[in-house]
Amino acid sequence: MNYDSVFDKWHEECGVFGIYDRTVDVARYVYWGLFALQHRGQESAGIAVTDGHDVELKKGMGLLTEAIKELPSLPSYMGTGHVRYSTTGSNNPRNIQPLVIHYQGGQIAVAHNGNLTNALSIRKRLEADGSIFQTTMDSEVIVNLIARSKAETQAERIADAARQIEGAFSLVITTNDSLVGVRDPQGFRPLCLGKTENGYVLSSESCAFDAIKAEFIRHIDPGEMVIIDDSGVRSTIYAEPEKIDKKLCVFEYIYFARGDSHIDGQSVYQSRLNMGRELYNETKYDADIVMSIPDSGTTAALGYARASGIPFAEGLVKNRYSGRTFIKPNQEERELAVRMKLNALPHIVGGKRIVLIDDSIVRGTTSGIIVKMLKEAGAKEIYMCISSPTIEYSCHYGIDTSVRKELIAATHTVDEIRDFIKADKLHYLSREGLCRAVSDIKPDDLCFACFNGDYSVAVPADQEEGVKYVLE
C-alpha cells in the first residue's frame, strides 16, 4: 500500500502533455512538462517521441525521476507524455502510458486523462469481435476503436473513436504527421493549448507551459479536437451538438490542479483564496489562529485569515520526504503514518482556539488523527472548516474515489462526523459559497456529482457503487 493512500484524499488519475516543434529537443521538453504535472500522478510515467516514421518509448514505475532514467534519443519533432495515478486498471507496468500501437492506418501514441463510463461494454463487444487487449486500462479501448475505424485519415479515425466513448477523456495523441488533442463533450478533465517559439504544446494544466517558457493560448473546448502540424493549428467540433454539455470538475479548483494554473479561465489560486473567504463569511468563528492541513488547505486558510483578521500560523510541519514509504493499512500504523508526515508545534498551538482548514473529508480517518495530534500538543479547541461541500457520492469521471458506503458523509450527518473526528466545531463550505469562490465559471458549467449524485453522463449499474473497471 502506498504511504500517500493512507491520507484521506482523492487522487486525480493522471496528467498529459504533448509537443509539436521541429526546433527543440522534444524529449527534454516533454520531460519538463511532465515534471510540472507530477502532482496529477505519481505511480508511473512515460514519454513517446516520433519522427513521423519511428516511435521511441521510455516508461517506468514511480515518480518521473524514478521512471525515466534516460530520455528517448530518437531525433524527433513530436512527443507525448503521461504521469499516472491508477483509477481503472491496476498499478502495474503493463498499464503505463502513452500507449503506442502500429496498425494499417499508421502509428499512434495515446495519452489519456480521465475515466470512461462505457469502457467495459465496448471492450466486451470488441473482444467478441476478435480484438486482443494487453492491459487492464479503459484507455486501451480508445486505441482499439481508432484502429478499427473505417475513416480515411488518422484524425478522422480519432474523431470516430471519440464519438463512441463516454465519460471523461482528455487525450493527447501523436500520429504519423500531427499532434492531436481531444476533450470530452462535458470537459470533465482539463486540456489547454500553448505555443513555443516555433511550435505548439498541449497540456492538462497551464503551469506546464511556464516550465518550458511556452505562451498560453487557450483551453480546448468540450467536444473539440485540435490538430497540430506544419500548417499550424486546426480545430473541429467532433461531438454531436446535443451531447456537448459543459461540466467542469469543480475539484480541480478545490484540490487537484496546481495553484499556479488557470483552468478554463479561472485562477486556481484565487478560487482557493475565495473559498477561505466564503468559509469565514459562513462561520464567523472567533479564534486565536487560522491553520491549514498542509498543503491542500493552505491557500484557503490564507483566505480565511485575510477575511477574518485572525492571524495565520503554521502549527503543523510537513515532512516532505516520506511520501513513498510502504506500510500496512491497519489503524495503528495509519496513525503512525500521519505522524511521520505531519508534526504539531506545541509552542504555536498550545492553549489556542484554532480554525483548521482542509479541502475535503473523504473517510474521516486522517482528520481525526490530526485533531487528536493537535489536542495532544495543547490546542484548546479545534474549529474545522472544509473548503468543499460534503462528499456523498463516488466519482466516475477520472478521480480515484471510495465506494459510496466508505464515504463518511454518505452515511453520517455533519454532527456525527464532527463527533467522529472529535473536533469542537465542523463546517463544510456550502455549494453556493463554492460557486461564489469559483467566480469566473458559471455554476451550470461545473460538475457537482460527488456532492449531489447528479451524474451528467450515465453511470452503468456495475459502477454505481464505485466498482472500478478492473479485469484481472
Side-chain angles (χ1 to χ4, degrees), residues 426-444:
L426 173 62
H427 180 81
Y428 288 84
L429 183 62
S430 68
R431 176 171 165 177
E432 294 75 20
L434 179 59
C435 290
R436 287 191 294 269
V438 189
S439 56
D440 291 330
I441 307 292
K442 296 177 182 178
D444 287 346

Side-chain angles (χ1 to χ4, degrees), residues 317-447:
V317 173
K318 182 177 181 180
N319 180 351
R320 302 181 187 279
Y321 301 98
S322 59
R324 295 192 59 77
T325 304
F326 284 74
I327 69 166
K328 297 177 182 178
N330 63 52
Q331 182 58 32
E332 180 181 354
E333 292 195 341
R334 185 185 301 275
E335 182 168 341
L336 176 61
V338 175
R339 291 178 180 274
M340 287 173 62
K341 187 110 177 186
L342 297 172
N343 194 27
L345 299 175
H347 66 285
I348 299 294
V349 306
K352 299 294 196 303
R353 298 167 301 162
I354 299 169
V355 175
L356 181 64
I357 310 286
D358 202 6
D359 63 276
S360 60
I361 297 178
V362 181
R363 300 175 188 87
T365 51
T366 303
S367 302
I369 294 169
I370 293 171
V371 169
K372 178 183 178 183
M373 183 191 307
L374 289 169
K375 291 205 169 182
E376 288 176 349
K380 184 179 180 180
E381 294 184 328
I382 304 294
Y383 311 148
M384 191 152 194
C385 290
I386 305 301
S387 59
S388 64
T390 53
I391 299 171
E392 301 181 34
Y393 296 86
S394 295
C395 176
H396 303 278
Y397 306 134
I399 299 172
D400 180 30
T401 66
S402 304
V403 295
R404 191 182 177 208
K405 65 183 179 181
E406 294 179 356
L407 301 173
I408 191 169
T411 55
H412 295 72
T413 67
V414 173
D415 287 343
E416 288 170 340
I417 298 170
R418 181 202 63 213
D419 293 341
F420 178 78
I421 67 175
K422 294 181 168 56
D424 296 279
K425 297 179 181 179
L426 173 62
H427 180 81
Y428 288 84
L429 183 62
S430 68
R431 176 171 165 177
E432 294 75 20
L434 179 59
C435 290
R436 287 191 294 269
V438 189
S439 56
D440 291 330
I441 307 292
K442 296 177 182 178
D444 287 346
D445 290 345
L446 292 169
C447 178

Side-chain angles (χ1 to χ4, degrees), residues 35-40 205 207-208 210-211 252 255-263 268-269 272:
F35 196 86
L37 298 174
Q38 184 73 88
H39 59 287
R40 299 186 73 89
E205 293 183 38
C207 63
D210 298 329
E252 292 287 349
Y255 175 63
F256 295 128
R258 224 171 76 168
D260 51 339
S261 288
H262 283 69
I263 304 292
V268 174
Y269 185 85
R272 292 173 187 169

Side-chain angles (χ1 to χ4, degrees), residues 14-20 30 34 37 48 78-82 97-100 108-113 142-143 146 158 169-175 178-183 190-193 200-205 209 220 225-226 228:
C14 54
V16 294
F17 186 89
I19 183 169
Y20 188 104
V30 175
L34 292 181
L37 298 174
M78 284 188 291
T80 186
H82 190 275
Q97 296 188 42
L99 294 175
V100 177
I108 56 174
V110 178
H112 169 211
N113 177 23
I142 301 169
V143 297
I146 294 171
I158 293 168
F169 53 94
S170 286
L171 307 174
V172 175
I173 303 171
T174 57
T175 72
S178 62
L179 177 70
V180 180
V182 184
R183 196 173 182 190
L191 187 65
C192 52
L193 173 69
Y200 293 91
V201 284
L202 294 166
S203 175
S204 291
E205 293 183 38
F209 297 157
I220 308 305
M225 180 172 75
V226 294
I228 301 167

Side-chain angles (χ1 to χ4, degrees), residues 228-239:
I228 301 167
D229 56 24
D230 283 340
S231 64
V233 180
R234 305 190 309 279
S235 169
T236 182
I237 302 299
Y238 71 87

Side-chain angles (χ1 to χ4, degrees), residues 261-286:
S261 288
H262 283 69
I263 304 292
D264 289 286
Q266 170 70 56
S267 163
V268 174
Y269 185 85
Q270 186 60 53
S271 68
R272 292 173 187 169
L273 278 179
N274 295 346
M275 289 170 202
R277 179 198 67 211
E278 294 298 329
L279 279 170
Y280 173 69
N281 290 338
E282 292 181 1
T283 60
K284 299 292 179 70
Y285 287 148
D286 181 18

